Amino acid sequence: MADTATDPRDALIARLPKAELHLHIEGSLEPELMFALAKRNGIAIPFASVEEVRAAYDFSNLQDFLDIYYQGMGVLREEQDFFDLTMAYLERAHADTVRHVEIFFDPQGHTERGVSFDTAIGGILRALDAGEARFGITYRLIMCFLRHLDEESAFATLAQAEPWLDRIAGVGLDSSEVGHPPAKFARVFAAARERGLKLVAHAGEEGPPEYVWEALDVIGIDRIDHGNRALEDSALVERIVADGQTLTVCPLSNLKLCVIERIEDSPVKRMLDLGIAATVNSDDPSYFGGYVNDNYRAIAHALDLSAADIARLAANSFAGSFLPEEEKQAHIAAVEAALSS
Ligand code: ADE
Ligand code: ZN
């Protein structure tokens, strides 16, 4: 076991420029901010202390987590709340030498409880612009459809997004995976594609390899979120490699949601060895116990990654982003410089 206190890989991770491609902004709500917003908005929450909130973050599957995640976002009511949430995340990202973020938000998680689409997106975008000015972190915003809701609700959400389409890079698909395959949303994804949006979807987190095939063949996605269970199907692995598809893997999330039993079971190294463009991301960092660099460090030690593996993951994060080609190349050159410095 490497001595983590002096492990040179930790210093490499700390200085490597990186992009984060799988981050639910509502999942970055730290308990301290949850309490502050509950107080500011006069909302009662069923916890007496920050410690009690953290103790409740003990999940045995995705649904366990989602129940508490939707409850937690109930403190977000005003535009300023979404601004504060997003700015707090960007400060963490900046500390982790993140140079570019592609963040998700869940509009239906807000509109379903009477908070308008405009309130949520307005605060998030104002913070993303402020973060770009303050930290130089560029961004893309992706709105996700909640897959446990129906197609009609997804179409209504796309209609609400219409005035904001020049500020939204893509649409995604999240929430309870099993029983809600990508094909359920084929038509709304096609409508999003017609509007020039990029398409991503959570697939193969808990759902079977067939859901990943559907995301590729029925939806025609541009990037796969998670994709762990794709490794069960060698023809699917071949397809992912041949298409050059990026997978946004989330190691600490996988551990907390019991997608893997031990961090040593993270598929990231196996994916790299198979030629899959894997990336490392935090998913819902407040709930899963770590931001992006915590995820890099956890797998660097558990999977005994080399410095070259770690730099490959950072390079993949830019290559798999929705940045223009020249910007991708400039970031990848900076990754290489950081590796050899
Ligand atoms: N929403 C927030 N985090 C999620 C995850 N890991 N899977 C599905 N939906 C989510
Ligand atoms: Zn996710």
Side-chain angles (χ1 to χ4, degrees):
M1 180 82 181
D3 177 351
T4 53
T6 57
D7 193 321
R9 294 173 300 184
D10 290 350
L12 174 63
I13 290 164
R15 72 173 180 271
L16 264 185
K18 56 190 75 75
E20 180 150 49
L21 305 180
H22 186 150
L23 179 284
H24 302 262
I25 197 62
E26 297 90 345
S28 70
L29 178 63
E30 290 288 342
E32 289 79 3
L33 184 57
M34 189 190 292
F35 269 87
L37 295 181
K39 190 164 172 218
R40 193 158 92 189
N41 293 325
I43 294 171
I45 52 174
F47 301 108
S49 66
V50 160
E51 293 69 35
E52 221 180 86
V53 180
R54 288 218 163 82
Y57 294 171
D58 182 20
F59 315 113
S60 35
N61 56 38
L62 174 59
Q63 193 60 49
D64 260 10
F65 154 69
L66 289 170
D67 292 343
I68 213 159
Y69 165 81
Y70 293 123
Q71 181 187 73
M73 69 175 76
V75 301
L76 301 164
R77 296 218 67 92
E78 309 294 333
E79 196 252 19
Q80 186 64 38
D81 304 338
F82 290 90
F83 177 92
D84 292 344
L85 170 73
T86 308
M87 187 50 78
Y89 163 67
L90 291 169
E91 281 166 4
R92 299 280 199 141
H94 176 62
D96 278 358
T97 58
V98 172
R99 304 290 189 234
H100 176 69
V101 296
E102 301 196 350
I103 70 172
F104 301 129
F105 79 118
D106 283 332
Q108 291 151 296
H110 312 303
T111 54
E112 288 256 306
R113 54 188 180 83
V115 173
S116 77
F117 186 97
D118 295 2
T119 296
I121 196 171
I124 294 168
L125 283 170
R126 187 160 64 83
L128 288 168
D129 286 335
E132 182 161 3
R134 195 179 303 171
F135 304 124
I137 299 178
T138 54
Y139 69 84
R140 296 289 183 273
L141 182 60
I142 299 172
M143 67 168 203
C144 287
F145 301 122
L146 298 183
R147 67 202 307 157
H148 68 274
L149 300 180
D150 60 17
E151 184 195 42
E152 191 187 343
S153 175
F155 267 113
T157 304
L158 187 60
Q160 288 163 347
E162 208 74 51
W164 298 92
L165 284 185
D166 59 333
R167 314 281 327 262
I168 298 174
V171 296
L173 187 64
D174 65 0
S175 196
S176 321
E177 187 181 8
V178 174
H180 303 286
K184 175 177 168 187
F185 297 95
R187 291 189 296 194
V188 71
F189 270 91
R193 171 75 86 207
E194 278 168 21
R195 286 160 177 74
L197 295 167
K198 297 282 189 190
L199 312 181
V200 302
H202 285 52
E205 181 184 19
E206 283 188 347
E210 289 70 31
Y211 285 20
V212 182
W213 280 113
E214 259 185 33
L216 292 169
D217 289 338
V218 180
I219 309 286
I221 49 164
D222 296 295
R223 194 163 71 207
I224 300 168
D225 295 315
H226 295 293
N228 297 52
R229 293 196 57 193
L231 295 190
E232 296 170 22
D233 179 338
S234 58
L236 180 55
V237 167
E238 265 177 46
R239 167 72 182 281
I240 287 168
V241 173
D243 284 6
Q245 280 282 353
T246 295
L247 267 56
T248 63
V249 186
C250 305
L252 291 174
S253 162
N254 289 167
L255 186 63
K256 284 291 273 186
L257 300 186
C258 306
V259 168
I260 55 177
E261 249 175 60
R262 309 168 312 148
I263 193 68
E264 288 77 9
D265 300 326
S266 168
V268 170
K269 174 71 173 149
R270 272 178 291 145
M271 287 175 176
L272 290 179
D273 291 346
L274 287 163
I276 293 175
T279 63
V280 173
N281 307 272
S282 67
D283 204 4
D284 301 281
S286 154
Y287 292 90
F288 301 148
Y291 285 78
V292 70
N293 281 5
D294 297 309
N295 277 271
Y296 271 83
R297 280 190 295 270
I299 57 162
H301 300 138
L303 308 180
D304 202 19
L305 298 185
S306 66
D309 292 328
I310 296 165
R312 163 62 41 210
L313 291 166
N316 287 349
S317 72
F318 292 113
S321 75
F322 297 139
L323 284 168
E325 197 52 40
E326 327 77 73
E327 285 181 50
K328 290 185 187 183
Q329 290 313 322
H331 283 298
I332 291 167
V335 168
E336 279 155 16
L339 175 61
S340 46
S341 68

